[in-house]
Amino acid sequence: MKVLCAVDFSDASYNALLWAIGYIEEQGGGELEIIHCLDNRGTGNMFLNKSSFFLENAEKDMKRLAEKIRGLTSHTSLTTLIVTASSKTMIAERAKTINADLIVIGTTGLTDLKDLTVGSVTEYLSRKSDIPVLAIPVDAKFVDIERVVVGIDQVRLNNPQ
């Protein structure tokens, strides 16, 4: 099993990461890639110092995060990636590139105010990704999955039976 987990270093994304680790470990192990996207669209050279500041901080945060969770991944290989790109498109593209089986992402992160105007990354991925997306609520804790509820639109069913 290969899982891509997107993080923005918020509590919600950390919780989603813990959930992903629990899930992969419960499945017997696999591969987990943690991705963080720095979205610098629309910034020119005058923001170069600001961009490198964000990159340096993201690298430090990712290193701390990886160190913090390594003890939880006895059967799971862990890789990290920081990219300068739009979260919405990069996460879906990266999942395809690494042949991920699943994208795991928190339902609320650091962009709450921005979400009011441009929509959340989670919502975008759930509509546009070819890879299944599992959205983890901020307070959800991993437990063995015993039951899955599927919501479908009956009008779209070719064979409702």
Side-chain angles (χ1 to χ4, degrees), residues 83-139:
V83 294
T84 302
S86 168
S87 301
K88 289 180 177 182
T89 54
M90 177 49 87
I91 294 167
E93 289 173 15
R94 183 64 184 170
K96 277 185 184 179
T97 299
I98 66 171
N99 295 315
D101 299 300
L102 182 65
I103 298 169
V104 175
I105 190 166
T107 55
T108 323
L110 294 176
T111 59
D112 292 337
L113 182 59
K114 188 170 95 174
D115 291 348
L116 295 174
T117 58
V118 296
S120 74
V121 174
T122 304
E123 190 271 335
Y124 177 88
L125 287 171
S126 69
R127 288 185 299 109
K128 298 292 186 177
S129 175
D130 294 334
I131 310 291
V133 177
L134 186 58
I136 306 299
V138 68
D139 294 324

Side-chain angles (χ1 to χ4, degrees), residues 31-85:
E31 300 173 43
L32 174 63
E33 180 169 300
I34 305 168
I35 186 170
H36 175 71
C37 299
L38 291 169
D39 191 346
N40 286 336
R41 289 174 297 155
T43 60
N45 289 337
M46 65 188 270
F47 294 109
L48 189 57
N49 291 337
K50 185 177 177 182
S51 297
S52 32
F53 170 78
F54 286 130
L55 179 59
E56 288 173 20
N57 282 327
E59 288 170 347
K60 289 176 188 174
D61 289 342
M62 186 67 86
K63 184 177 179 184
R64 279 193 294 261
L65 181 62
E67 289 171 358
K68 189 173 183 178
I69 64 169
R70 283 209 195 276
L72 305 174
T73 59
S74 57
H75 298 97
T76 304
S77 66
L78 178 66
T79 58
T80 61
L81 178 66
I82 299 172
V83 294
T84 302

